[in-house]
Amino acid sequence: MAECVGIVGVGLMGQAFSHQLLQSGFKVQGYDLDERRLAQLHERGGTPVESPAAAARGARCVITSLPSSDVVREVILGANGVAESAATGLIVADTSTSRPEDSVKLGAELAKRGIRFLDACVSGTSAMAWKKDLIVIAGGTVEDFEAAKPFFAGFSRAAYRMGAVGSGAMAKLIINLILFGNRLALAEGLVLGMKAGMEGESLLQVLQDAACSSKTMIDKGPKMLNGDFSPEGHVRTSLKDARLALEQGTRLGAPMLVASLWTQLQQAACQQGLAELDSSAFIELLRE
């Protein structure tokens, strides 16, 4: 009999997770506030349910893919939340980009209830998730990580334990910080080259083969060139993540030059009406 996985949040990432888990032979039951997303889950062979508690009922693992750690806390501990129907030993894997301190606090509270928790952030866009080209970066005990690995293998190509609860969320913020710099440098270089009269596609081809090459150039370069900002993530989410990184820099006394500049650009992009577009849409600010 197929093992059951619950998913709370079947948006851009959650839909891809559910698809990969179904393809890997798991039974998937999911909850989302958006009825359209639940209909899409049903079309792919998943089971829509009426609450986070229902998503956890009978499941060995519940995956959350949500906008913020405040929302994660509410769907787990709030009314009709995951904790209400969680069996002892349930694994909760939060793939959201969360505040590390919030993950630590939530993990400690769930441990008292006999619920295992990992801040199991993922690195990759939703387009990469559809290709199962994600990695999981998790914080939690060795035992909990080992127990969760079969579920991670269902929707990712690799999983890494970074340390105690909270370390997965911190590693994700660091990954995002470096991505911010990559994307900013790529956009700036493309705009400079095109203003100098270079053909954009030829320039991007050279950049992708040069010493500066990165996955960002492959994933976001064509979107920037073509003005195709269909979301694989959102400007508003990128802004939220950047603010979380800045917060950690302030807390720890680390310089955050790239994160500060990226935050201002994403904030300006939101003010220009680009909030719901792909995070690469900020290139329009540089083009102007």
Side-chain angles (χ1 to χ4, degrees):
M1 184 176 177
E3 282 196 286
C4 182
V5 179
I7 294 187
V8 181
V10 283
L12 288 175
M13 279 293 191
Q15 287 286 352
F17 294 164
S18 62
H19 169 75
Q20 297 296 352
L21 286 162
L22 287 163
Q23 291 295 305
S24 297
F26 292 96
K27 176 186 174 185
V28 176
Q29 53 195 33
Y31 171 75
D32 197 285
L33 290 173
D34 191 330
E35 293 290 336
R36 293 171 300 173
R37 292 173 177 173
L38 293 179
Q40 291 167 347
L41 174 64
H42 179 69
E43 289 170 7
R44 293 193 175 96
T47 303
V49 294
E50 70 278 4
S51 68
R57 195 167 294 123
R60 279 200 57 219
C61 177
V62 171
I63 296 166
T64 53
S65 179
L66 297 163
S68 71
S69 48
D70 291 338
V71 178
V72 172
R73 183 178 184 82
E74 177 62 26
V75 303
I76 293 175
L77 294 176
N80 293 316
V82 167
E84 284 191 9
S85 61
T88 300
L90 174 74
I91 300 165
V92 174
D94 177 30
T95 66
S96 317
T97 302
S98 295
R99 180 179 291 107
E101 303 95 301
D102 293 346
S103 296
V104 172
K105 182 180 178 182
L106 180 59
E109 291 178 59
L110 292 178
K112 294 176 183 177
R113 298 171 178 246
I115 299 171
R116 302 194 271 185
F117 178 78
L118 298 109
D119 49 320
C121 303
V122 297
S123 178
T125 65
S126 60
M128 292 167 70
W130 282 104
K131 300 172 185 175
K132 206 176 180 181
D133 187 22
L134 295 177
I135 63 168
V136 174
I137 319 103
T141 67
V142 172
E143 294 78 13
D144 292 351
F145 178 72
E146 290 298 321
K149 280 173 74 174
F151 302 103
F152 296 155
F155 65 88
S156 71
R157 62 176 172 82
Y160 300 88
R161 177 180 175 268
M162 303 305 296
V165 171
S167 60
M170 179 62 81
K172 174 62 184 294
L173 293 179
I174 294 168
I175 289 169
N176 281 357
L177 167 60
I178 295 168
L179 270 176
F180 299 158
N182 273 307
R183 291 175 182 178
L184 175 55
L186 173 60
E188 194 170 294
L190 287 174
V191 170
L192 175 62
M194 288 187 289
K195 284 183 178 291
M198 295 182 184
E199 199 276 319
E201 290 187 3
S202 296
L203 175 59
L204 179 59
Q205 183 179 9
V206 168
L207 294 175
Q208 289 174 342
D209 196 36
C212 60
S213 181
S214 68
K215 280 191 174 183
T216 282
M217 292 184 181
I218 296 166
D219 298 334
K220 299 299 183 183
K223 294 179 77 67
M224 290 180 179
L225 278 185
N226 300 325
D228 167 21
F229 303 127
S230 52
E232 298 171 349
H234 296 97
V235 168
R236 58 175 167 76
T237 303
S238 182
L239 175 58
K240 182 266 293 183
D241 294 351
R243 286 171 171 167
L244 284 177
L246 280 177
E247 187 180 274
Q248 294 304 310
T250 300
R251 183 174 73 87
L252 297 170
M256 302 292 282
L257 306 180
V258 170
S260 297
L261 182 54
W262 181 264
T263 301
Q264 295 302 313
L265 282 167
Q266 296 299 297
Q267 186 167 296
C270 283
Q271 293 300 311
Q272 291 294 318
L274 307 177
E276 298 304 315
L277 300 182
D278 189 80
S279 59
S280 59
F282 79 95
I283 193 175
E284 294 303 312
L285 302 178
L286 305 186
R287 280 194 174 109
E288 290 177 9

